[in-house]
Amino acid sequence: DGGITQSPKYLFRKEGQNVTLSCEQNLNHDAMYWYRQDPGQGLRLIYYSQIVNDFQKGDIAEGYSVSREKKESFPLTVTSAQKNPTAFYLCASSISVDQPQHFGDGTRLSIL
Amino acid sequence: ELKVEQNPLFLSMQEGKNYTIYCNYSTTSDRLYWYRQDPGKSLESLFVLLSNGAVKQEGRLMASLDTKARLSTLHITAAVHDLSATYFCAVRETSGSRLTFGEGTQLTVNP
């Protein structure tokens, strides 16, 4: 089945640690996105990529980094510079930037 | 900067009643989406609205778009408990490459 797979489902980060959230899609979509959702709030865009080897900052990129070396994969690293990382992280993809986005099941990140 | 506002943010309604959720946005847009999110889950796409006057319906939900007023509505007819969820609108600025989401409307349908 085609879809977007995020892993892990739950992740715990220690102080000063970098952690990486995985996002893989087999939909052959060009565009991929990372969003952060805090409790009771909407989605805020962290980074997005329209094509392999290219990505742009969203509204809240500070403390995060991404790479897009393969079309299928768009991992997000939450660095130690992100002082308040506890949130629900959602990855999405779309055929192109003007087409509907399809979402993964999310990763819930907490601080130990 | 594109701003997207939804209201109400919280809506509690009885089964069988009708209600409307509103989504206002601040700049010109060529695409508006409605999504549904169940607690702790991901987002599910409901509707894509592309042009002024567009209306889409699926079951008890109907979405419409007025680009001149920069307003979209999501109308719920004869609500049932299964419709309880958070509903988001998301707007793409004309020729933009990203979406801006509203804060979401948390809908609770009581028996």
Side-chain angles (χ1 to χ4, degrees), chain A residues 33 35 37 40-43 45 48 50 57-59 88 90 97-106 108, chain B residues 1 10 31 33 35 37 39-45 48 50 88 92 96-104 106:
Chain A
Y33 311 81
Y35 293 93
Q37 186 178 31
Q41 296 190 28
L43 278 67
L45 183 65
Y48 65 103
Q50 298 182 60
K57 292 182 180 180
D59 298 321
F88 188 46
L90 285 160
V97 294
D98 61 346
Q99 296 301 313
Q101 293 180 19
H102 302 263
F103 285 82
D105 287 338
R108 200 165 294 279
Chain B
E1 181 191 339
F10 299 93
R31 222 155 282 248
Y33 301 87
Y35 288 91
Q37 185 180 36
K41 303 290 187 184
S42 187
L43 273 70
E44 173 192 349
S45 179
V48 180
L50 303 178
F88 292 95
R92 190 183 91 131
S97 51
R98 46 162 297 172
L99 295 181
T100 300
F101 282 78
E103 288 183 65
Q106 188 176 318

Side-chain angles (χ1 to χ4, degrees), chain B residues 16-92:
Chain B
K17 299 292 187 183
N18 304 334
Y19 210 86
T20 300
I21 299 170
Y22 297 89
C23 173
N24 287 92
Y25 54 96
S26 60
T27 66
T28 58
S29 165
D30 60 4
R31 222 155 282 248
L32 189 142
Y33 301 87
W34 284 96
Y35 288 91
R36 169 183 170 142
Q37 185 180 36
D38 290 300
K41 303 290 187 184
S42 187
L43 273 70
E44 173 192 349
S45 179
L46 295 174
F47 302 109
V48 180
L49 302 168
L50 303 178
S51 59
N52 188 43
V55 177
K56 295 259 182 99
Q57 182 159 7
E58 180 76 33
R60 300 173 189 275
L61 299 177
M62 183 173 72
S64 66
L65 178 62
D66 181 344
T67 57
K68 293 177 184 174
R70 297 180 184 168
L71 171 69
S72 179
T73 61
L74 181 66
H75 186 73
I76 303 150
T77 302
V80 293
H81 180 69
D82 284 352
L83 289 179
S84 296
T86 299
Y87 293 85
F88 292 95
C89 65
V91 179
R92 190 183 91 131

Side-chain angles (χ1 to χ4, degrees), chain A residues 8-91:
Chain A
K9 197 174 176 74
Y10 299 96
L11 187 57
F12 298 91
R13 195 191 88 168
K14 292 181 183 177
E15 205 69 42
Q17 187 182 41
N18 293 351
V19 292
T20 298
L21 285 60
S22 170
C23 178
E24 303 276 332
Q25 54 99 358
N26 60 4
L27 300 167
N28 201 32
H29 285 175
D30 282 320
M32 297 187 75
Y33 311 81
W34 273 106
Y35 293 93
R36 170 179 170 142
Q37 186 178 31
D38 292 283
Q41 296 190 28
L43 278 67
R44 292 184 290 168
L45 183 65
I46 306 173
Y47 271 98
Y48 65 103
S49 168
Q50 298 182 60
I51 200 164
V52 176
N53 292 322
D54 186 50
F55 50 83
Q56 287 80 40
K57 292 182 180 180
D59 298 321
I60 54 166
E62 187 174 343
Y64 300 96
S65 66
V66 293
S67 62
R68 186 86 188 276
E69 296 174 2
K70 297 187 299 181
K71 188 175 186 176
E72 313 82 60
S73 178
F74 191 39
L76 173 74
T77 296
V78 184
T79 74
S80 56
Q82 174 48 250
K83 297 305 179 190
N84 183 23
T86 298
F88 188 46
Y89 290 86
L90 285 160
C91 177

